[in-house]
Coordinates of all heavy atoms in Angstrom, one line a residue:
M7 N 1.9 4.5 -12.2 CA 1.2 3.4 -11.4 C 0.5 4.0 -10.2 O 1.0 4.9 -9.6 CB 2.3 2.4 -10.9 CG 1.7 1.2 -10.2 SD 3.0 -0.1 -10.0 CE 3.7 0.5 -8.4
Y8 N -0.7 3.4 -10.0 CA -1.5 3.8 -8.8 C -1.7 2.6 -7.9 O -1.8 1.5 -8.4 CB -2.9 4.3 -9.3 CG -2.9 5.7 -9.9 CD1 -2.4 5.9 -11.3 CD2 -3.2 6.8 -9.2 CE1 -2.4 7.1 -11.8 CE2 -3.2 8.1 -9.8 CZ -2.8 8.2 -11.1 OH -2.7 9.5 -11.7
A9 N -1.8 2.9 -6.6 CA -2.1 1.9 -5.6 C -3.4 2.2 -4.9 O -3.6 3.3 -4.5 CB -0.9 1.7 -4.6
I10 N -4.2 1.2 -4.7 CA -5.5 1.3 -4.0 C -5.5 0.2 -3.0 O -5.2 -1.0 -3.3 CB -6.7 1.2 -5.0 CG1 -6.7 2.3 -6.0 CG2 -8.0 1.1 -4.2 CD1 -7.5 2.0 -7.2
V11 N -5.9 0.5 -1.7 CA -6.1 -0.5 -0.7 C -7.6 -0.7 -0.6 O -8.4 0.2 -0.4 CB -5.6 0.0 0.7 CG1 -5.9 -1.1 1.7 CG2 -4.1 0.2 0.6
N12 N -8.1 -2.0 -0.9 CA -9.5 -2.2 -0.9 C -10.0 -2.6 0.5 O -9.2 -2.7 1.5 CB -9.9 -3.2 -2.0 CG -9.5 -4.6 -1.6 OD1 -9.2 -5.0 -0.5 ND2 -9.4 -5.5 -2.7
S13 N -11.3 -2.9 0.6 CA -11.9 -3.1 2.0 C -11.5 -4.5 2.6 O -11.9 -4.8 3.7 CB -13.4 -3.0 1.8 OG -13.9 -3.9 0.9
D14 N -10.7 -5.3 1.9 CA -10.3 -6.5 2.5 C -9.2 -6.4 3.5 O -8.8 -7.3 4.2 CB -9.8 -7.5 1.4 CG -10.9 -8.0 0.5 OD1 -12.1 -8.0 0.9 OD2 -10.6 -8.5 -0.6
C15 N -8.6 -5.2 3.5 CA -7.5 -4.9 4.4 C -7.8 -5.3 5.9 O -8.9 -4.9 6.4 CB -7.1 -3.4 4.4 SG -5.8 -2.9 5.6
I16 N -6.9 -6.0 6.5 CA -7.1 -6.4 7.9 C -6.2 -5.6 8.9 O -6.2 -5.9 10.1 CB -6.9 -7.9 8.1 CG1 -5.5 -8.3 7.6 CG2 -7.9 -8.7 7.4 CD1 -5.1 -9.7 8.0
G17 N -5.5 -4.6 8.3 CA -4.7 -3.7 9.2 C -3.5 -4.4 9.8 O -3.1 -4.0 10.9
C18 N -2.9 -5.3 9.1 CA -1.7 -6.0 9.7 C -0.5 -5.1 9.7 O 0.5 -5.3 10.5 CB -1.4 -7.2 8.9 SG -0.6 -6.9 7.3
G19 N -0.4 -4.0 8.9 CA 0.7 -3.1 8.9 C 1.9 -3.5 8.1 O 2.9 -2.7 8.0
A20 N 1.8 -4.6 7.4 CA 3.0 -5.0 6.6 C 3.3 -4.1 5.5 O 4.5 -3.8 5.2 CB 2.7 -6.4 6.0
C21 N 2.3 -3.5 4.8 CA 2.6 -2.6 3.7 C 3.3 -1.4 4.2 O 4.3 -0.9 3.5 CB 1.3 -2.3 2.9 SG 0.0 -1.6 3.9
E22 N 2.9 -0.9 5.3 CA 3.5 0.3 5.8 C 5.0 0.0 6.2 O 5.9 0.9 6.0 CB 2.8 0.8 7.1 CG 3.3 2.1 7.6 CD 2.6 2.6 8.9 OE1 2.4 1.7 9.8 OE2 2.2 3.7 9.0
E23 N 5.2 -1.2 6.7 CA 6.6 -1.5 7.1 C 7.5 -1.7 5.9 O 8.6 -1.2 5.9 CB 6.5 -2.9 7.8 CG 7.7 -3.2 8.8 CD 7.4 -4.3 9.7 OE1 6.4 -4.3 10.4 OE2 8.1 -5.3 9.6
I24 N 6.9 -2.3 4.8 CA 7.7 -2.5 3.6 C 7.9 -1.2 2.8 O 9.0 -1.0 2.2 CB 7.1 -3.6 2.8 CG1 7.1 -4.9 3.5 CG2 7.7 -3.7 1.4 CD1 6.2 -6.0 2.9
C25 N 6.9 -0.4 2.7 CA 6.9 0.8 1.8 C 6.2 2.0 2.5 O 5.1 2.4 2.1 CB 6.2 0.4 0.5 SG 6.3 1.6 -0.8
P26 N 6.8 2.5 3.5 CA 6.2 3.6 4.3 C 6.1 4.9 3.5 O 5.3 5.8 3.8 CB 7.1 3.8 5.5 CG 8.5 3.3 5.0 CD 8.1 2.2 4.1
Q27 N 6.8 5.0 2.4 CA 6.7 6.2 1.5 C 5.4 6.3 0.7 O 5.0 7.3 0.2 CB 7.9 6.4 0.6 CG 8.1 5.3 -0.4 CD 8.9 4.1 0.1 OE1 8.8 3.7 1.2 NE2 9.7 3.6 -0.8
V28 N 4.7 5.1 0.7 CA 3.4 5.1 -0.1 C 2.2 4.7 0.8 O 1.1 5.2 0.7 CB 3.5 4.0 -1.2 CG1 2.2 3.8 -1.9 CG2 4.6 4.5 -2.3
F29 N 2.5 3.8 1.8 CA 1.4 3.3 2.6 C 1.5 3.8 4.1 O 2.6 3.9 4.6 CB 1.3 1.8 2.6 CG 1.2 1.2 1.3 CD1 2.2 0.7 0.5 CD2 -0.1 1.1 0.7 CE1 2.1 0.2 -0.7 CE2 -0.3 0.6 -0.6 CZ 0.8 0.2 -1.3
R30 N 0.3 4.0 4.7 CA 0.3 4.4 6.1 C -1.0 3.9 6.6 O -2.0 3.7 5.9 CB 0.4 5.9 6.3 CG -0.7 6.7 5.8 CD -0.5 8.2 6.0 NE -1.5 8.9 5.3 CZ -1.4 10.2 4.9 NH1 -0.3 10.8 5.1 NH2 -2.4 10.8 4.3
M31 N -1.0 3.7 8.0 CA -2.3 3.3 8.6 C -3.1 4.5 9.0 O -2.6 5.5 9.4 CB -1.9 2.5 9.9 CG -1.0 1.3 9.7 SD -1.5 0.2 8.5 CE -2.9 -0.6 9.3
N32 N -4.4 4.4 8.7 CA -5.2 5.6 9.0 C -5.8 5.4 10.4 O -5.5 4.5 11.2 CB -6.3 5.8 7.9 CG -7.3 4.6 7.9 OD1 -7.5 3.9 8.9 ND2 -8.0 4.5 6.8
S33 N -6.7 6.3 10.8 CA -7.2 6.3 12.2 C -8.1 5.2 12.5 O -8.4 4.9 13.6 CB -7.9 7.7 12.5 OG -8.9 7.9 11.5
Y34 N -8.5 4.4 11.4 CA -9.3 3.2 11.6 C -8.5 2.0 11.6 O -9.0 0.9 11.5 CB -10.4 3.1 10.6 CG -11.3 4.3 10.5 CD1 -11.2 5.3 9.6 CD2 -12.4 4.4 11.5 CE1 -12.0 6.4 9.6 CE2 -13.2 5.5 11.4 CZ -13.0 6.5 10.5 OH -13.9 7.6 10.5
E35 N -7.1 2.2 11.7 CA -6.2 1.1 11.6 C -6.3 0.2 10.3 O -6.1 -1.0 10.3 CB -6.4 0.1 12.9 CG -6.0 0.8 14.2 CD -4.6 1.3 14.3 OE1 -3.7 0.5 13.9 OE2 -4.4 2.5 14.7
I36 N -6.6 0.9 9.3 CA -6.7 0.3 8.0 C -5.6 1.1 7.1 O -5.4 2.3 7.3 CB -8.1 0.5 7.4 CG1 -9.1 -0.3 8.2 CG2 -8.1 0.1 5.9 CD1 -8.9 -1.8 8.2
A37 N -5.0 0.3 6.2 CA -4.0 1.0 5.4 C -4.6 1.9 4.3 O -5.7 1.6 3.8 CB -3.1 -0.1 4.7
E38 N -3.8 2.9 3.9 CA -4.2 3.7 2.8 C -3.0 4.0 2.0 O -1.9 4.1 2.6 CB -4.9 5.0 3.2 CG -4.1 5.9 4.1 CD -4.8 7.1 4.5 OE1 -6.1 7.2 4.4 OE2 -4.2 8.1 5.1
A39 N -3.1 4.2 0.7 CA -2.0 4.6 -0.1 C -2.2 6.1 -0.2 O -3.1 6.6 -0.8 CB -2.1 4.0 -1.5
Y40 N -1.2 6.9 0.3 CA -1.3 8.3 0.4 C -0.5 9.0 -0.6 O -0.4 10.3 -0.7 CB -1.0 8.8 1.8 CG 0.5 8.6 2.2 CD1 1.4 9.7 2.1 CD2 0.9 7.4 2.7 CE1 2.7 9.5 2.4 CE2 2.2 7.2 3.1 CZ 3.1 8.3 3.0 OH 4.4 8.1 3.3
L41 N 0.2 8.3 -1.5 CA 1.1 8.9 -2.5 C 0.7 8.3 -3.9 O 1.2 7.3 -4.2 CB 2.5 8.7 -2.1 CG 3.6 9.4 -2.9 CD1 3.4 10.9 -2.8 CD2 5.0 9.0 -2.5
N42 N -0.1 9.0 -4.6 CA -0.5 8.5 -5.9 C -0.5 9.7 -6.9 O -0.9 10.8 -6.5 CB -2.0 8.0 -5.9 CG -2.0 6.5 -5.5 OD1 -1.3 5.7 -6.1 ND2 -2.9 6.1 -4.6
P43 N 0.0 9.5 -8.1 CA 0.6 8.3 -8.6 C 1.9 7.9 -7.9 O 2.6 8.8 -7.3 CB 0.9 8.5 -10.1 CG 1.0 10.0 -10.2 CD 0.1 10.6 -9.1
I44 N 2.3 6.7 -7.9 CA 3.5 6.2 -7.2 C 4.7 6.7 -8.0 O 4.8 6.5 -9.2 CB 3.6 4.6 -7.2 CG1 2.2 4.0 -6.7 CG2 4.7 4.2 -6.4 CD1 1.9 4.4 -5.3
P45 N 5.6 7.4 -7.3 CA 6.9 7.8 -8.0 C 7.6 6.6 -8.5 O 7.6 5.5 -7.8 CB 7.7 8.5 -6.9 CG 6.7 8.8 -5.9 CD 5.6 7.8 -5.9
Q46 N 8.3 6.7 -9.6 CA 9.0 5.6 -10.2 C 10.0 4.9 -9.2 O 10.1 3.7 -9.2 CB 9.8 6.0 -11.5 CG 10.0 4.9 -12.4 CD 10.4 5.4 -13.8 OE1 10.6 6.6 -14.0 NE2 10.6 4.5 -14.7
A47 N 10.6 5.7 -8.4 CA 11.6 5.2 -7.5 C 11.0 4.3 -6.4 O 11.7 3.5 -5.8 CB 12.4 6.3 -6.8
S48 N 9.7 4.4 -6.2 CA 9.0 3.6 -5.2 C 8.2 2.5 -5.8 O 7.5 1.7 -5.0 CB 8.1 4.5 -4.4 OG 8.8 5.5 -3.7
E49 N 8.2 2.3 -7.1 CA 7.3 1.3 -7.7 C 7.7 -0.1 -7.2 O 6.9 -0.9 -6.9 CB 7.4 1.4 -9.2 CG 6.6 2.5 -9.8 CD 6.4 2.5 -11.3 OE1 7.0 1.6 -11.9 OE2 5.7 3.4 -11.8
E50 N 9.0 -0.4 -7.1 CA 9.4 -1.7 -6.8 C 9.0 -2.1 -5.3 O 8.4 -3.2 -5.1 CB 11.0 -1.9 -6.9 CG 11.4 -3.3 -6.8 CD 12.9 -3.4 -7.0 OE1 13.5 -2.6 -7.7 OE2 13.5 -4.4 -6.4
S51 N 9.2 -1.2 -4.4 CA 8.8 -1.5 -3.0 C 7.2 -1.5 -2.9 O 6.7 -2.2 -2.1 CB 9.4 -0.5 -2.0 OG 9.1 0.8 -2.4
T52 N 6.5 -0.8 -3.7 CA 5.1 -0.8 -3.7 C 4.6 -2.2 -4.2 O 3.7 -2.8 -3.6 CB 4.5 0.3 -4.7 OG1 4.9 1.5 -4.2 CG2 3.0 0.2 -4.7
R53 N 5.3 -2.7 -5.3 CA 4.9 -4.1 -5.7 C 5.3 -5.1 -4.7 O 4.5 -6.1 -4.5 CB 5.7 -4.4 -7.0 CG 5.2 -3.7 -8.2 CD 5.7 -4.4 -9.5 NE 5.2 -3.6 -10.7 CZ 5.9 -2.6 -11.2 NH1 7.0 -2.2 -10.8 NH2 5.3 -1.9 -12.2
E54 N 6.4 -4.9 -4.0 CA 6.8 -5.8 -2.9 C 5.7 -5.8 -1.8 O 5.3 -6.9 -1.3 CB 8.1 -5.4 -2.3 CG 8.8 -6.3 -1.4 CD 9.2 -7.6 -2.1 OE1 9.4 -7.6 -3.3 OE2 9.4 -8.6 -1.3
A55 N 5.2 -4.6 -1.4 CA 4.2 -4.5 -0.4 C 2.9 -5.2 -0.9 O 2.3 -6.0 -0.1 CB 3.9 -3.1 -0.1
A56 N 2.5 -5.0 -2.1 CA 1.3 -5.7 -2.6 C 1.5 -7.2 -2.6 O 0.5 -7.9 -2.2 CB 1.0 -5.2 -4.1
K57 N 2.6 -7.7 -3.0 CA 2.9 -9.1 -3.0 C 2.8 -9.7 -1.6 O 2.4 -10.9 -1.4 CB 4.3 -9.4 -3.6 CG 4.5 -10.7 -4.2 CD 5.8 -10.8 -5.0 CE 7.0 -10.8 -4.0 NZ 8.3 -10.8 -4.7
N58 N 3.2 -9.0 -0.6 CA 3.3 -9.5 0.7 C 2.0 -9.2 1.6 O 1.9 -9.6 2.7 CB 4.5 -8.9 1.5 CG 5.8 -9.5 1.1 OD1 6.1 -10.6 1.5 ND2 6.5 -8.9 0.1
C59 N 1.0 -8.6 1.0 CA -0.2 -8.4 1.7 C -0.9 -9.7 1.9 O -1.2 -10.4 0.9 CB -1.1 -7.4 0.9 SG -2.8 -7.2 1.7
P60 N -1.2 -10.1 3.1 CA -1.8 -11.5 3.3 C -3.2 -11.7 2.8 O -3.6 -12.8 2.6 CB -1.8 -11.6 4.9 CG -1.8 -10.2 5.4 CD -1.0 -9.4 4.3
V61 N -3.9 -10.6 2.5 CA -5.2 -10.8 2.0 C -5.4 -10.1 0.6 O -6.5 -9.9 0.1 CB -6.3 -10.1 2.9 CG1 -6.3 -10.9 4.2 CG2 -6.0 -8.7 3.2
A62 N -4.2 -9.8 -0.1 CA -4.2 -9.3 -1.4 C -5.2 -8.1 -1.6 O -5.9 -7.9 -2.5 CB -4.6 -10.3 -2.5
A63 N -5.1 -7.2 -0.6 CA -5.9 -6.0 -0.6 C -5.4 -4.8 -1.3 O -6.0 -3.8 -1.5 CB -6.2 -5.6 0.9
I64 N -4.1 -4.9 -1.8 CA -3.5 -3.8 -2.5 C -3.6 -4.0 -4.0 O -3.1 -5.0 -4.6 CB -2.0 -3.7 -2.1 CG1 -1.9 -3.4 -0.6 CG2 -1.4 -2.5 -2.9 CD1 -0.5 -3.4 -0.1
I65 N -4.3 -3.1 -4.7 CA -4.6 -3.2 -6.1 C -3.6 -2.2 -6.8 O -3.6 -1.0 -6.4 CB -6.0 -2.9 -6.4 CG1 -7.0 -3.7 -5.5 CG2 -6.3 -3.1 -7.9 CD1 -6.9 -5.2 -5.6
L66 N -2.9 -2.7 -7.8 CA -2.0 -1.8 -8.5 C -2.6 -1.6 -9.9 O -3.0 -2.5 -10.6 CB -0.6 -2.4 -8.6 CG 0.0 -2.7 -7.3 CD1 1.4 -3.3 -7.5 CD2 0.1 -1.4 -6.4
E67 N -2.6 -0.4 -10.4 CA -3.1 -0.1 -11.7 C -2.0 0.7 -12.5 O -1.3 1.5 -12.0 CB -4.3 0.8 -11.7 CG -5.5 0.1 -10.9 CD -6.7 1.0 -10.9 OE1 -6.6 2.2 -11.0 OE2 -7.8 0.4 -10.7
Ligands
LIG16 S1 -0.5 -5.5 4.1 FE1 -2.6 -5.7 3.3 S2 -3.8 -6.3 5.1 FE2 -1.8 -5.5 5.9 S3 -2.2 -3.3 6.3 FE3 -1.4 -3.4 4.2 S4 -3.2 -3.6 2.9 FE4 -3.9 -4.0 5.0

């Protein structure tokens, strides 16, 4: 599984809080997925982060 943060991100930080092993805020205060492909052990929390993104900016493939 791969995670992509699209340009709808508003920088709320929720994904980093829920799944810091995959998401972090970059210097523009926008989230990025820095661990791709997602390790199996982190897939569930990655899905949780995507589900909780208020603007649905996390795309999972
Ligand atoms: S939860 Fe969504 S809006 Fe918030 S920082 Fe992550 S990708 Fe951006």
Side-chain angles (χ1 to χ4, degrees):
M7 185 168 85
Y8 285 80
I10 296 160
V11 178
N12 72 20
S13 58
D14 291 339
C15 174
I16 56 171
C18 74
C21 55
E22 184 183 47
E23 202 168 302
I24 293 167
C25 187
Q27 65 272 39
V28 173
F29 299 99
R30 66 183 171 203
M31 306 306 289
N32 66 22
S33 54
Y34 301 101
E35 295 299 315
I36 294 298
E38 62 183 11
Y40 67 95
L41 188 62
N42 273 310
I44 311 297
Q46 204 165 3
S48 297
E49 285 191 358
E50 193 179 329
S51 55
T52 300
R53 284 198 183 90
E54 191 67 20
K57 203 172 72 183
N58 283 282
C59 175
V61 292
I64 298 172
I65 311 302
L66 304 179
E67 301 181 336

